[in-house]
Amino acid sequence: MNRPYTVATLGSHSALQILKGAHDEGFRTLAISNRDTERLYRSFSFIDEVIALGAYSEFMSLMDELERRKVIIVPHGSFVAYLSLDQQKKMTIPYFGNKAVLDWEASRELQREWLSRAGLKLPRQFRSGAEIDRPVIVKLYGAAGGKGYMFIRDAHDFETRAAHLKEAYIIQEYIIGVPLYIHYFYSPLENKLEIMSMDRRYETNVDSLGRIPAAAQEGMDVDPSYVVVGNQPVSLRESMLAEALRMGDDVVRVSKEICGPKGLFGAFCIETIITPDMQYYVMEISARIVAGTNLFIDGSPYSYLNYSEPMSTGRRIARELKNALLTNNLRLVLDDSSVL
Ligand code: ATP
């Protein structure tokens, strides 16, 4: 069935998953790529059209064209990298999601306030090097994918290696445990939260340090780094699922208090570290589809429980758009700036 709208996104991050899902749910699809990636996106038959830009910064000049094509934009992680918050807010083409969440997501302070209000356990934060009384991780602002993060043993180590840093950073308690990224989808149409899938990131070189015995590492000049190179699927101990769902519920509930009545909806991810006493510490929230969901284009064990058919997060987004159209509720799943 042909739907009156085209689902469009920027050609990177999770665009293939989003557009495949949109195609499977009966939408026309459009990838906005750059010249380097144009051939890639043209090579997939589920992508009906590709617009190739010289640079993503030209994206805003496409607005009239996108309006004419009756496009619904589905944002993903690269939107924050390629477009400013202002540009995203200025768009009036239909946009899946609530843009009020962007400010709360972009600022580490606001994010912390949001997650604490939701009752989630957060790593302790230190205001200065002098306060450090345990191993910490120093996180540069604006670092993407863990690049430039430093593991610091104690206050003395901080003085020698981090105190001179010119960029802004935060000092956070280093949590030793298993990192787990939980992918959720909240449906405003059904008022229901689902766990879609989970992954762990494969990071260089921190994930390979365990392969060298600690004794052999002594004296070697290796510092852990946290640069993401890939993702691995995880299925969680079933006894821990209830808490995972509860954390998602709490985040959505508080979002409705801080980001207007629509709150956070659609895809999001809570990034956690689980300690040996089975506590989830929350590192961060991503208020959109994350790249770890690309592992599950064919669905995950969890999405299978809900759908009994392949259901990626990208397809789940398109399913929500389809259900909204069929019930005349499109506005419920779009940002209020959207002009239909
Ligand atoms: P992205 O924006 O892609 O999610 P990021 O730059 O915001 O990445 P984080 O996800 O915050 O980075 O962290 C990157 C990695 O650093 C994590 O996957 C984890 O391995 C490590 N890390 C972050 N915070 C902590 C912490 N408090 N304790 C232990 N390890 C941590």
Side-chain angles (χ1 to χ4, degrees):
M1 172 190 164
N2 268 335
R3 310 204 182 279
Y5 286 93
T6 293
V7 168
T9 195
L10 284 181
S12 74
H13 194 268
S14 45
L16 291 172
Q17 183 196 154
I18 291 169
L19 297 178
K20 172 78 168 82
H23 170 84
D24 290 346
E25 295 298 313
F27 289 93
R28 282 188 64 74
T29 57
L30 166 69
I32 299 148
S33 73
N34 62 29
R35 305 247 188 270
D36 289 339
T37 53
E38 178 179 6
R39 202 185 93 65
L40 172 80
Y41 290 100
R42 285 201 195 284
S43 74
F44 290 100
S45 60
F46 58 83
I47 301 179
D48 298 309
E49 280 168 285
V50 176
I51 297 180
L53 298 174
Y56 284 124
S57 52
E58 293 163 20
F59 179 73
M60 295 307 284
S61 64
L62 284 181
M63 290 306 120
D64 290 346
E65 165 90 16
L66 297 182
E67 209 173 296
R68 194 178 53 71
R69 287 173 186 249
K70 287 193 83 134
V71 150
I72 298 174
I73 286 283
V74 174
H76 53 56
S78 294
F79 278 64
V80 264
Y82 295 129
L83 305 174
S84 68
L85 283 188
D86 256 10
Q87 286 174 323
Q88 292 189 66
K89 285 186 197 163
K90 272 199 195 116
M91 276 192 249
T92 55
I93 42 173
Y95 175 102
F96 178 78
N98 178 359
K99 293 182 191 173
V101 177
L102 293 173
D103 291 319
W104 286 84
E105 187 198 24
S107 145
R108 289 200 196 264
E109 290 73 26
L110 290 179
Q111 233 196 62
R112 211 170 158 85
E113 188 185 326
W114 175 8
L115 298 172
S116 327
R117 269 171 73 170
L120 306 190
K121 226 181 186 37
L122 306 179
R124 222 185 114 177
Q125 213 132 283
F126 298 91
R127 278 188 303 266
S128 71
E131 284 181 12
I132 295 176
D133 61 357
R134 64 192 78 188
V136 295
I137 182 165
V138 168
K139 301 182 171 190
L140 302 183
Y141 272 71
K147 213 170 177 169
Y149 286 10
M150 291 168 89
F151 172 79
I152 300 282
R153 273 181 95 96
D154 50 31
H156 175 70
D157 192 19
F158 181 85
E159 272 313 304
T160 30
R161 295 171 53 228
H164 62 277
L165 285 171
K166 296 271 180 292
E167 303 105 295
Y169 56 80
I170 52 164
I171 309 169
Q172 199 171 78
E173 172 184 11
Y174 191 91
I175 307 292
I176 301 177
V178 165
L180 181 80
Y181 291 69
I182 310 166
H183 317 144
Y184 299 87
F185 186 92
Y186 175 69
S187 161
L189 297 177
E190 296 169 43
N191 192 13
K192 183 174 167 229
L193 180 73
E194 294 159 30
I195 290 181
M196 296 301 300
S197 46
M198 298 170 197
D199 77 297
R200 61 168 295 205
R201 290 188 181 171
Y202 204 32
E203 297 171 346
T204 185
N205 59 9
V206 70
D207 286 322
S208 53
L209 289 180
R211 298 170 54 168
I212 307 172
Q217 285 183 40
E218 227 178 283
M220 274 170 70
D221 192 18
V222 218
D223 283 320
S225 60
Y226 301 87
V227 180
V228 181
V229 290
N231 306 77
Q232 299 170 327
V234 176
S235 77
L236 185 63
R237 268 173 84 155
E238 191 151 322
S239 58
M240 299 191 68
L241 274 176
E243 179 62 14
L245 199 60
R246 195 155 39 236
M247 289 194 300
D249 277 336
D250 289 338
V251 160
V252 170
R253 177 179 47 76
V254 173
S255 75
K256 291 179 180 176
E257 297 163 16
I258 60 179
C259 308
K262 280 186 175 173
L264 168 66
F265 63 85
F268 66 99
C269 172
I270 302 183
E271 310 184 352
T272 72
I273 301 182
I274 305 168
T275 49
D277 53 355
M278 299 285 118
Q279 298 281 335
Y280 289 93
Y281 281 81
V282 174
M283 290 183 278
E284 200 174 339
I285 181 168
S286 289
R288 67 200 62 240
I289 184 170
V290 290
T293 60
N294 285 336
L295 286 165
F296 306 103
I297 290 185
D298 208 23
S300 80
Y302 299 106
S303 68
Y304 189 77
L305 293 170
N306 277 323
Y307 294 97
S308 303
E309 64 176 322
M311 184 60 66
S312 67
T313 292
R315 185 168 185 183
R316 183 64 190 81
I317 292 170
R319 177 73 55 97
E320 192 76 359
L321 287 169
K322 178 173 95 176
N323 289 342
L325 279 167
L326 292 175
T327 55
N328 245 334
N329 275 318
L330 193 54
R331 289 206 170 276
L332 273 187
V333 299
L334 299 178
D335 184 70
D336 291 340
S337 64
S338 306
V339 176
L340 289 176

